[in-house]
Amino acid sequence: MKRSILALLLLAGSSLSAQVTYDRMLNADHEPQNWLTYGGDYASHRYSTLSQITKENVGTLQLKWVHQFRTLQKVENTPLVVDGIMYLGDTSQISAVDAVTGRTYWSYNHTVDPRGVFVLPMLKGLAISGNRLFWATLDGHLIAVDAKNGHPLWDKVVAVWQKGYQLNVAPLVVKNKVILGPATNEEGANCWVAAYDVETGEELWRFDTVPKPDEPNGNTWAGNSWIHGGSPIWVTGSYDPETNLTYWGTGNPNPGWNGDVRSPGDNLYSDSVVALDTDTGKLKWFYQFTPNDEFDWDSVQVPVLVNMDWKGKPRKLMLWANRNGFFYVLDRTTGEFLHGSAFVKQNWNVGFDAKGRPAKAPGHIATYDGTFIQPGVQGGTNWYSPSYSPRTGLFYVSSWQNYSAISAKADATWKEGERYTGVGKPKKPDWTRTPPNAPLFKKESEGYGAVIALDPKTGEKKWEFKMVDYTDAGVLSTASDLVFSGGKEGNFFALDGRSGESLWKAGMGGTVASGPMTYSVNGQQYVAVCAGSALYVFGLPEMKAAK
């Protein structure tokens, strides 16, 4: 592990003084020139009040600079920007760069043991507090680095890769705590959400996402199935300072495609959102989207927190477009189920009871022969971040429309060092499944990617922007009613946030699988997105920039 020697040469003429206080994080909307958290703010709106780039001038956007990562893998990183300095990275290196020119100030490397990379070697992003940057590595390290010069401050192993864990989330910093959790890719390793001291890396609290038999809801796992239950953490949570709750989505139970060994029971807290007291880690409430999941519908979407009128009264809400194909509205103070409606074609749920429990459609359960299921294993949406605009009142989601699969189960026995999936091979022809990576589709009915705009008060689709291929890109909205996103076709584009009309696009030469973000320096607004293995930054021609 080492810093780049460029840091010593460049820092002499530059000042990297972050000092991102808790108060600044609470009031991130007061400094839209910066991007201080993975989701842009604690509520994860991915909305910016910057408005220099408008519907009228977005067509003149130009590429300003490119940062090439050291990896050849696709990059899912959303960078941070603090006072003109951008912090970004991949799985083996993080850097501080000039947000105007892309010039590197320093880089810090971490060599990941290749044996610890089970799947998805991706870094979602970093977190910052004071002058400390926090980096969660694939092989289970949580590292604090001095944001001014790239010097390591502490390095803690918080998840042991030999036991089937990996870290790829962007941590969430609240007060004196760095909050995150590990993932496991069907390794049968039980996961958790934990908080660590920003000064020392000491663990302060931990919430296990699979309860033990003598703990509340431990009886939702049959026999000893809880021992290898999984329930991973793949994506960053959100925080509500008024309730002091932090919200995190959890992944699927193990084995993922065969619920026989863990039935009967709902297998809590898999496929759920958990609301935790930020000071203690105590569970305040939970809601489970897909009980006893057998289709790998991880609930690891980003919780989006909004305040709005609900049925004539102001209410603190959580908006959630879930992998299982349904859009949900929950009361984020109590967890009460308020609304659920499908935003893609689905055939597994015939309705909800008063508490929001889904009723599974007869015959649409996992079988050894194979079951035709909508949506397919990748879901109606996935980890890619949605966006909420308080100006338009719309919730923007990247979705997989008309997507299906024939899903089959197989017998599953946990063995150390082997994946614990329960996946089988369908006995009947897989004629309905469109390969997720297919570049072209013959018919729209076979599946396509789309950015959709939902009315959160009704779940009604207001507009849809269709793509030929699917999408893994997040969404950004701005105060000029622009929506930015991308897809597997390699395009980065801007849409009218009210109508969905296409206003601008750029071919990136690689899939867009990250969440776009925006910032400004010296009055000039920029939009940044990762595509392929590089970060691209766009801005207006300077002569046309608004004053």
Side-chain angles (χ1 to χ4, degrees), residues 129-132 134 144 153-156 173 175-178 196-202 204:
S129 175
N131 281 324
R132 285 179 169 85
F134 300 97
L153 301 173
W154 49 258
D155 183 338
K156 301 286 185 179
V173 175
K175 304 176 186 177
N176 68 323
K177 299 175 179 66
V178 189
Y196 305 88
D197 188 280
V198 298
E199 300 282 344
T200 65
E202 175 189 1
L204 301 177

Side-chain angles (χ1 to χ4, degrees), residues 210-221 267-269 283 286:
V210 178
K212 297 179 177 62
D214 60 347
E215 295 175 340
N217 296 306
N219 61 355
T220 62
W221 296 83
N267 312 141
L268 294 169
Y269 299 97
L283 178 69
F286 70 91

